[in-house]
Amino acid sequence: MSFRIVTASGLAVFLILACRSDRPTPVDPISAMQCLPETCGGGGGGGGGGGDPGYPTSDPDPTAPGIWVGINMGLSRCYSPTGAGINDADIDRFDDWCEKWIANDFRPSLRPNYYDCDLRMEPAWSVKYFPASGVIRVGYWLSYYNDCGNQHAFVCNMSQPWQSDCMGHDGDSEFIVVDLRYNAPTDHYVLQRAFMSAHYGSGSSTDYSTNLDYTQLEFPEKYQGYPRVWVALGKHANYPTQGLCNAGAIFGTDTCTDNTAENQMEFIWSRNVGSPSNHMLNCTPAKPEMQYFRPGTECYWDAYDPNQQPPPKRFFGWWWQDGANPYAGGANPYGIPLRQVFEPVSMPAGRDPSLF
């Protein structure tokens, strides 16, 4: 259980922000200005007064699919057609506090390979609401330091034209995007489908990214809650099941045979990339303790504009942009999946599992 003290008119008012014992401790402080109107004692961004005293203070239906995000966090509170009555730094009409908790609670559970050479990452995230369809879309931009390649596979050690597809490189711009809906009777957000990158944008014969309905996904805890993602050895391609991972990539070179550990993705409150209207996180250095080893800068919105000038740089995992590391080349910039997968009303179809 967590509490926040807000001072108003000289009085200390104790406000309950969450009544769940499983709330993680935030990585960095959250300002009181990032809360909902009733939590701040009156509307942010235009007023609005207190909340409805009838909202539930604990999960009203613990056995129902999906996740109860918290007190008075329903869609009618989180979305404002005009932006009034909410805190909306990214100017997308969806409350910042709601975005943080929804993105935190639905962050995927990653199941990587025990023998992977480098699982270090600096993940970012974003949230977008589509009023016409009722879809709340959450993007997780994993931001690995390295792609270690598929040299473990026999066919990747042959002198053949496809060998270049097996090579590693600086930076790995993998991502996972989930579509949610709000279920008012249960006060739960429920996962509807997930897009998982697997060699995204590499071409029709080598792109194994999937866009699957919730019935084809695995859920470690609550049904239609946060999804499990199988992470391929070396290349970090994302798959909804171990079987699809082991059949993934050209010539089946991806593998999840030794994927034993599992943890939810690291979540940092301040790493919201924002929206096309306000790039809250764009060109940024690596986290402070890594800047000596990773001295570069990465720009999450590079290539969002396909006509960008000067031309966008590739994603190098905060290494030098000139590719001085023996791992060269970099990965596609995140602006491409932001434009092609996250922002459109409908996500790309992805590869049908029957074609693996």
Side-chain angles (χ1 to χ4, degrees), residues 229-252:
V229 178
W230 294 81
V231 182
L233 172 63
K235 299 294 287 183
H236 305 142
N238 300 295
Y239 295 96
T241 66
Q242 186 179 36
L244 288 181
C245 176
N246 290 336
I250 188 169
F251 301 115

Side-chain angles (χ1 to χ4, degrees), residues 136-291:
I136 305 99
R137 182 166 295 161
V138 189
Y140 299 98
W141 317 106
L142 301 179
S143 311
Y144 288 96
Y145 289 161
N146 286 305
D147 177 316
C148 301
N150 268 350
Q151 280 75 17
H152 58 272
F154 175 76
V155 297
C156 286
N157 290 282
M158 301 169 65
S159 297
Q160 297 293 336
W162 62 74
Q163 192 172 25
S164 61
D165 294 322
C166 302
M167 299 300 292
H169 48 78
D170 280 321
D172 198 2
S173 51
E174 302 292 345
F175 62 93
I176 297 155
V177 178
V178 299
D179 277 358
L180 317 174
R181 290 186 184 276
Y182 177 66
N183 184 299
T186 63
D187 198 25
H188 285 193
Y189 288 87
V190 293
L191 190 146
Q192 294 295 113
R193 61 189 315 107
F195 188 102
M196 301 183 186
S197 71
H199 316 289
Y200 179 75
S202 60
S204 59
S205 63
T206 54
D207 189 337
Y208 277 70
S209 305
T210 54
N211 178 5
L212 299 180
D213 180 84
Y214 68 92
T215 58
Q216 297 174 282
L217 305 177
E218 296 179 357
F219 299 99
E221 188 177 355
K222 293 287 297 293
Y223 189 61
Q224 291 185 264
Y226 63 87
R228 172 180 291 126
V229 178
W230 294 81
V231 182
L233 172 63
K235 299 294 287 183
H236 305 142
N238 300 295
Y239 295 96
T241 66
Q242 186 179 36
L244 288 181
C245 176
N246 290 336
I250 188 169
F251 301 115
T253 53
D254 278 342
T255 180
C256 289
T257 300
D258 296 298
N259 294 39
T260 53
E262 182 172 341
N263 288 288
Q264 275 189 281
M265 184 200 85
E266 177 188 13
F267 188 84
I268 299 175
W269 299 99
S270 59
R271 291 184 64 80
N272 179 0
V273 305
S275 69
S277 301
N278 184 10
H279 302 168
M280 295 176 65
L281 179 69
N282 190 12
C283 297
T284 178
K287 54 189 177 183
E289 63 268 28
M290 290 299 296
Q291 288 174 16

Side-chain angles (χ1 to χ4, degrees), residues 60-115:
D61 197 345
T63 63
I67 296 175
W68 181 71
V69 173
I71 297 173
N72 202 6
M73 299 281 269
L75 194 56
S76 62
R77 173 60 75 186
C78 293
Y79 172 66
S80 169
T82 63
I86 62 173
N87 294 290
D88 187 21
D90 52 359
I91 319 175
D92 63 357
R93 308 292 189 261
F94 207 77
D95 189 89
D96 298 335
W97 183 254
C98 295
E99 290 184 355
K100 292 174 188 293
W101 279 119
I102 291 171
N104 174 78
D105 285 3
F106 280 91
R107 70 194 194 278
S109 184
L110 304 177
R111 196 177 181 96
N113 194 284
Y114 177 82
Y115 298 103

